[in-house]
Amino acid sequence: MNMKRLIPTNCENRATINYSILPYFKPANIFRFFCLSLFRDKNYYVRITLEELKKLTSESLSNFNKQFEEFLRIKHYYVDNGFKYQTQHNIYHIPPMELECVTFSRRIIGIELKSAHIGFFMQLVLISKFANIKLTKDEIMQELHIDRKTYDKYIIEL
């Protein structure tokens, strides 16, 4: 089980997850996307380091930019840190809210579950509202493209 995450005070109170992202990301990345979205400005730009995001999600973010490069517009900028080379930072542009979306409170970060389990919960909420399926085990597994073992593991954790 994760250590309790601290809910940041310098972020928005809530963020939205669009139903359209379901086929593109695994549950952990949906939660990471949500955390990133909490730091958006009025133009949907986010300036946060991966190290700050890692502290928020309590898990490794290897390949984060690569996994999100097609979905988020990522621009690089450099900060002079007094060393020989400048430090690269990123600006992420969050897609705008769509009609089929769910808004979650930032307090969900404080739940002591792994990122994948919180992301799975978010997926369940999205499909319960917008997918035209019966909410049976088999239908959910098919909609989320997961196997029975993974489904059972997530359900037990939730």
Side-chain angles (χ1 to χ4, degrees):
M1 192 79 64
N2 283 352
M3 294 175 24
K4 185 170 176 114
R5 297 182 189 103
L6 295 176
I7 301 171
T9 56
N10 62 333
C11 67
E12 297 293 325
N13 286 321
R14 58 191 164 274
T16 300
I17 300 292
N18 294 331
Y19 175 67
S20 64
I21 74 167
L22 276 185
Y24 300 104
F25 300 111
K26 292 184 178 195
N29 279 340
I30 288 178
F31 177 67
R32 291 174 185 133
F33 174 80
F34 167 78
C35 291
L36 186 71
S37 297
L38 286 171
F39 291 90
R40 72 199 181 281
D41 64 17
K42 65 180 181 173
N43 297 315
Y44 288 88
Y45 286 101
V46 176
R47 288 175 177 84
I48 186 173
T49 65
L50 289 179
E51 192 60 36
E52 292 168 318
L53 189 58
K54 181 180 176 181
K55 287 178 187 174
L56 195 57
T57 61
S58 301
E59 294 172 11
S60 172
L61 294 174
S62 62
N63 298 322
F64 179 84
N65 286 345
K66 185 165 181 64
Q67 292 168 351
F68 282 90
E69 69 188 355
E70 290 184 28
F71 193 72
L72 300 171
R73 286 188 314 222
I74 302 172
K75 295 181 182 179
H76 305 290
Y77 68 99
Y78 294 89
V79 176
D80 186 6
N81 57 9
F83 297 109
K84 183 177 179 178
Y85 300 103
Q86 294 182 335
T87 304
Q88 178 181 314
H89 288 265
N90 302 307
I91 299 173
Y92 302 94
H93 186 261
I94 305 292
M97 183 171 66
E98 298 172 356
L99 291 177
E100 292 183 331
C101 65
V102 175
T103 302
F104 294 95
S105 167
R106 73 178 181 189
R107 290 184 291 185
I108 202 167
I109 293 170
I111 296 174
E112 294 186 49
L113 289 173
K114 290 183 178 180
S115 297
H117 300 133
I118 297 173
F120 180 68
F121 169 75
M122 291 174 162
Q123 287 178 311
L124 290 176
V125 172
L126 284 164
I127 64 171
S128 73
K129 288 191 72 137
F130 304 112
N132 192 16
I133 63 167
K134 291 182 182 178
L135 293 178
T136 64
K137 184 178 193 174
D138 291 332
E139 294 279 343
I140 292 170
M141 289 182 337
Q142 184 176 350
E143 178 75 14
L144 298 179
H145 307 289
I146 58 175
D147 59 30
R148 188 170 301 277
K149 183 178 177 182
T150 302
Y151 176 89
D152 290 340
K153 178 178 76 172
Y154 288 167
I155 290 295
I156 288 169
E157 234 6 83
L158 291 178

